[in-house]
Amino acid sequence: MTTATGVSAAGSGRTWGAVPEELSARVPAEQRGAGRERDSVRLLVSRGRAVSHHAFVELPRQLAAGDLLIVNTSATLAAAVDGRVGHARVVVHFSTRGDDGRWAVELRDPDGTGTTRARAGGPAGTEVRLPGDVRLVLEEPLSARGPRLWWARVPGGADVHGLLRRHGRPIRYSYTDRDQPLSAYQTVFALPSDDGAGSAEMPSAGRPFTARMVAELVSRGVQFAPITLHTGVASAEAHEPPYPEPYAVPETSARLINAARAGGGRIVAVGTTAVRAVESATGPDGLVRAARGWTDLVVTPERGVRVVDGLLTGLHEPEASHLLMLEAVAGRAAVDRGYEAALAGRYLWHEFGDVHLILPEEPLTQSVAHATLGEIATPPM
């Protein structure tokens, strides 16, 4: 049994199985029919094991005044660039810029359809020729976990961000139908950074938000706390745990989060990147403090979460390491129940797909009603 990206679901121990290929979102929501917009996706809501089905535009009614959303302001880079190793064509995925000026990169083979397939990494000293007479030299693997990502140097100090702006395109995976403009991969929260840094892959949980939705949430008393975490290149094949990534939690956001918690509001992270950033800045006392740097935090059920009460996220495949974070927030049984409902309801997966709102379980008098609704509600199409 395999998922849409070929990852086996066998042995995962989950009550739900493979994700059928036809449930991959192949184009953005606004391209799936006349009159549709970014927010024209579906919203699965889990409160403990109680599940209900909604349209994303109903999100404001799922939250309450005093709740706070943590949002990632990282902009998406045009991180894929064509190159050559000898006479062979390759595609370079630029992942993350290190403090020493080197870049973590992944080399992949073009598959002839506009996407790529995995390629053996290395060896050290491999030279990649890029557009504009730029050279990239692989130096060492990023991690002992495997040779997929390598630290590479651009001799002569060429401007990589300029190279990406001139010759790059967004990273595209095989489940999508066609290339999309970079604007399709930017969220409404994206802000340009002074040094040109950004994410190799879109912080996609924020994609369905529109300016109209943000205004409605604010008008209802929901607050926003911006953080930044620049995501690296994920492994579409192996679902590896995340590598260290640069992040920043501003002082103002730390104060907003602490005040919302003190006032009884729920802290809901928009995306796994927001969880990773804010939990990296949270002390054992549960207080969030301003912080920046690199985080190697992997949120698991054993580690748990200290400040996040809920999570708005896309749908992940059965072997994805992100599911451990969801279990840390909601518990294994709740996550499995939500995913069973997502499969039964034919929700769409991946960065252009539908979204899942995980909230704390409600008191019994309310949760019984939601559980009943979750069993009988017809998912909106």
Side-chain angles (χ1 to χ4, degrees), residues 83 280 294:
S280 297
W294 291 78

Side-chain angles (χ1 to χ4, degrees), residues 88-263:
R89 294 176 57 232
V90 298
V91 177
V92 181
H93 288 173
F94 284 85
S95 182
T96 307
R97 186 182 185 276
D99 293 336
D100 61 359
R102 297 187 300 176
W103 279 81
V105 300
E106 179 185 28
L107 268 60
R108 296 180 66 90
D109 289 323
D111 64 4
T113 66
T115 58
T116 61
R117 55 178 176 265
R119 172 191 176 94
T126 296
E127 182 176 291
V128 185
R129 289 177 287 121
L130 300 172
D133 294 324
V134 174
R135 293 184 302 121
L136 183 74
V137 180
L138 304 188
E139 293 192 344
E140 60 180 333
L142 183 69
S143 167
R145 295 179 195 160
R148 183 177 68 88
L149 289 172
W150 280 69
W151 284 117
R153 191 174 299 280
V154 179
D159 176 14
V160 172
H161 289 300
L163 172 75
L164 300 183
R165 287 192 297 270
R166 291 189 298 272
H167 302 288
R169 60 186 180 276
I171 291 174
R172 176 189 158 199
Y173 290 117
S174 59
Y175 48 76
T176 58
D177 276 352
R178 55 184 177 270
D179 287 344
Q180 297 288 342
L182 185 58
S183 59
Y185 290 88
Q186 303 294 6
T187 73
V188 71
F189 306 111
L191 296 172
S193 60
D194 293 338
D195 60 359
S199 289
E201 297 182 1
M202 172 177 55
S204 55
R207 190 184 192 279
F209 284 86
T210 62
R212 178 182 58 200
M213 168 71 76
V214 172
E216 181 178 354
L217 286 163
V218 170
S219 72
R220 288 173 174 261
V222 176
Q223 302 179 80
F224 287 82
I227 57 87
T228 302
L229 186 139
H230 298 312
T231 66
V233 175
S235 170
E237 292 83 18
H239 290 302
E240 301 160 336
Y243 288 86
E245 294 167 321
Y247 80 105
V249 176
E251 176 68 32
T252 302
S253 293
R255 290 180 180 178
L256 282 170
I257 295 166
N258 292 332
R261 289 195 76 202

